[in-house]
Amino acid sequence: ISTLGVIFLNAGMYTSYSYISEFLNAITNIFGSELSIVLFIYGIASIAGNWIGAKLLNSNTNKTVLSFPIIFSILLLGVFTFGSMKIPTIILMALWGLSAGIGNDIAQYWMVSAAPQAPEFANGIFLSMGNVGVTIGTTIAGAVVLSMGVQYVMLAAIAVLILDLILLFIRTNRYTTEA
């Protein structure tokens, strides 16, 4: 369950992110150096998100894990809704970067906490399953772009995150410890 949770957490994040440059070009009309600046802001926010994610996981693990797909889905719905407006989208991209950093912490914690006796092995599995999730997410996004258009990758990502929330909820309820 932990492995599937990590796969679908990454799949949800990358269903939306894998075509973000195309989304920002086609929907928000952000190009060239402006696009580079927005993606740089995203990256800096992601670094801050890693720090915040660690703090959140230390203070209330299950609440952090279970609220992430919901909060991230609301953020993606905001990008879908306001994606044609430049300033709101730039603000949402900064929040997205922050959330992505938190999501990466959650995925690593979730996998390593499933096998505390073998943290190095679990970390290797985390990296492999994260890559599987990226592959699945990018594939879903590509299919959505081809069939419906780039603006709908956000909605596809939300669908994947709903599946992930179910998996995370099952694991949280199956094991009574914080791990």
Side-chain angles (χ1 to χ4, degrees):
I1 293 172
S2 295
T3 302
L4 290 173
V6 168
I7 288 171
F8 284 99
L9 181 65
N10 278 293
M13 292 194 312
Y14 281 91
T15 296
S16 54
Y17 187 73
S18 54
Y19 286 88
I20 195 58
S21 293
E22 178 61 27
F23 181 92
L24 293 171
N25 288 168
I27 307 301
T28 317
N29 293 315
I30 295 176
F31 301 95
S33 60
E34 197 174 43
L35 176 64
S36 296
I37 291 168
V38 171
L39 294 177
F40 181 75
I41 291 168
Y42 171 95
I44 294 299
S46 180
I47 293 168
N50 286 138
W51 182 80
I52 292 168
K55 297 287 184 192
L56 291 170
L57 285 166
N58 281 328
S59 65
N60 196 333
T61 304
N62 288 340
K63 184 177 179 182
T64 299
V65 169
L66 292 174
S67 64
F68 179 80
I70 297 165
I71 293 168
F72 200 71
S73 293
I74 292 168
L75 178 67
L76 294 177
L77 189 58
V79 173
F80 177 78
T81 303
F82 300 108
S84 63
M85 296 185 256
K86 200 173 274 191
I87 298 302
T89 300
I90 292 170
I91 293 167
L92 288 166
M93 287 299 299
L95 293 172
W96 187 345
L98 191 73
S99 297
I102 294 168
N104 289 329
D105 283 355
I106 289 169
Q108 184 171 21
Y109 172 82
W110 209 240
M111 185 58 68
V112 173
S113 69
Q117 311 83 355
E120 294 85 7
F121 174 74
N123 193 55
I125 296 297
F126 153 72
L127 292 171
S128 297
M129 296 307 103
N131 286 332
V132 170
V134 169
T135 302
I136 291 170
T138 303
T139 302
I140 291 168
V144 168
V145 169
L146 282 173
S147 63
M148 297 170 27
V150 71
Q151 67 272 25
Y152 293 101
V153 295
M154 303 305 159
L155 299 181
I158 291 169
V160 174
L161 288 166
I162 290 169
L163 176 58
D164 185 58
L165 179 61
I166 293 166
L167 292 166
L168 297 175
F169 186 76
I170 290 169
R171 178 177 176 226
T172 301
N173 285 324
R174 183 170 287 177
Y175 302 100
T176 57
T177 64
E178 277 288 301

